[in-house]
Amino acid sequence: MGVLIWKPMPEPVLAPAPRRAARLAGRAGLALTGSAVAAVLLLCLAGPSAAVPALGGDGPPWSFSAAPAATPVILLCAAAIVAGALGTGAGLYALRRGWRPAPGPMLAVSAAAVLALVLVPPAGSTDVLNYAVYGRIAALGHDPYVTAPAWLHAVGDPVGAFAPPAWRNAPSVYGPVATWAQQAASWLGGASMARTVFAWKAMAGLAFLLSALLLDRLAGPGRARRVRAHLLWSLNPLMLWHVVAGGHVDGLGTLLLLGAFLAARRGDLGTGPRGGSDGRGGASGGVGGGLVAGVLLGAAAAVKAPFALAGAGLFWAARRSPATLAATAAGTLAALAAAYATRGPEALANVAGKVASRALADPWRVVAAALGEGPEAAALEGRLALGAAVLAAALLCLRLPAAPSGPLAGPLAGPQAGLQAVRPALACCLGWLLTSPMQHPWYDALLFPLLALMPACRLDGLMLVRGVVTSLVYLPGAVGLLALPPAPLVRWAAEVYRPWVAPLASDVVIACVVALALAGRLGARPLPPGPALPAGAGRADQRTS
C-alpha cells in the first residue's frame, strides 16, 4: 500500500515591494506634475495677459478677465515649467527603483488634464493664432503660402484682426497636411478667432491622447515600460503645456509618426515570415507594413519637415529587406509628393526658407556674436550647425543604449520586438534638435515619444533640463518681453537670460551629451543591489514588470 505524502503548495513568488524612497519619489513626482498642470490652468483661466493672447468674443474657450500683471504671470509660468520637469524626473527616478503605478489611471488623468486644457485659452505662444489665420486664408479660397496674414488683417476680417504682429507679413511655413488641418479648424470656427482656436485645440488634444494610446501600445505589455511612456508623454507637463495648452501643430506630426512606428512593428520590418531576421523582409507583411509606415512618415513630414529625420530609423530597420526598404521609401515619397502637389512651389520654398532661420533659443548665439553679422557669418554658422548635427547624430547612433528589440537587462526588462527603428530615429532627431539654430521647446514633441520607447538612460534628465531652458526663453509667450513694462524681472530675462544664460546652458547640455557618449556612459547608472530574493523572483518580476 502506497503512502500518501502531502506537501504544501509553494507560495507564489512575488516581486519585493518598492523601497519607501521610491514610493515617496513617485508620489512627489505626481504631486509636482499635478501642481504644474494646475498652475497652467490657473494661468489660462485668468484670461488675457502677458502669456495668454486675447481671442475676442465669448467662449469656448472660457476664461475670466483678471488681467494679471506681467511679473506674477512670468513667475507662475516659470514655476509650472520647473515643477513639471522635476515631477517627471522624480517619477522616472522612482520607476527605476521599483515604483509601478497602474498605467490605466495615468492615462485617465492625462485625458482629464487634456480636456481641461482644451477648454481654456492657449498660453505661452501666439502660434495657434497664426494657425487660425492661415486656415482662414485657405478657407476663403486663397493660398496661405502666398497670401500673408497682413491682407486678412487689412480687409477687416474678424479672424485677421487678431493676427500676431510678428508674423503678419509671413506666409505659412507649415506643410500641406498642417494647412489642411488648419483649414478644417477654420471651417468649424467660422468667422470667430475664439471658436477657430477652440476647434484647433480640440484637434491638438485629440492628437495628443491618440499619441498616448499609440505609445502605450508600442511600449508593450510590461508595466514599467508603459509607465515610462506615460511619464515622458501623457503626464509630462512640458508636453501638455506646449502641445495641448499651446496648441502647437507638432502634436499632429507626433501622432502620424507614432502611427508609422506601429505600422513598422506590425509589419516586422527587416524580419522574416516567422519574425526571424532572415533577410526576406517578412514576405508581404514586411512590404505592406513598410508601405503604410512610409505613407504615415511622409504625412508627418508634410506637417513639419523635421519629422522626416525619424525616417532614418524606419529605413534602418528595413535595411535587410530590399523590397521592404523600397516600399517604405516609396510610401514616404508618394505621401510627400501627393501633399505638395496640391500646392504651388511656394510651399516648398517657404519650408526650405526655415532652414537658415534662427530662434531665440539658438545654442549658437554666443558663437554667432563672435562671428559678427552679415551673410557670410550666417552662412558659416549654418555650416557649423549642419556639421555638428551630422557628427552628433553619428556619435549617438554608435553610443545610445540598445533599443528595446529583445529581452533587456535591468529594471525595465521584458521582451519587446519590432522597435529597432527607435534608436537610430532618436539619434538623428536628437542630433538635429541639440545643434539646430532653430530651437523651440515644442519641437521636443519629436523627441520625448522616441525617448519614451527607449530604456532608461542619462538622456532623460538632460532632455528635461534642455526642455526647461528652452521653455523659459519663450516666457511669457503672448507678448514680447520688450513690449512689457520695464520690470526688473522682465529686463533681466530680455537682456541677460535670453542672449547669454540660455544659449550657454544649451551648450552645456550639448557638451554633457557628447562627453557621456564618448565615454560610453549614456546608459542608466546601475542600481544599487537590493535585498536578496528567493530563487526565481527575478524571473517573476520580469514577467510582471
Side-chain angles (χ1 to χ4, degrees), residues 44-77:
C44 296
L45 283 171
S49 67
V52 178
L55 303 177
D58 299 327
W62 292 282
S63 68
F64 300 101
S65 299
T71 298
V73 164
I74 297 175
L75 289 175
L76 185 60
C77 291

Side-chain angles (χ1 to χ4, degrees), residues 253-284:
T254 299
L255 174 62
L256 294 168
L257 180 62
L258 290 176
F261 275 88
L262 184 62
R265 195 188 74 171
R266 285 177 174 271
D268 289 333
L269 299 192
T271 60
R274 299 181 181 276
S277 201
D278 64 356
R280 290 179 291 169
S284 61

Side-chain angles (χ1 to χ4, degrees), residues 22 25-26 28-30 33 85-96 99 227 231:
L30 293 179
T33 296
L86 288 175
T88 302
L92 294 172
Y93 171 90
L95 179 63
R96 288 195 63 238
W99 180 62
V227 171
L231 287 173

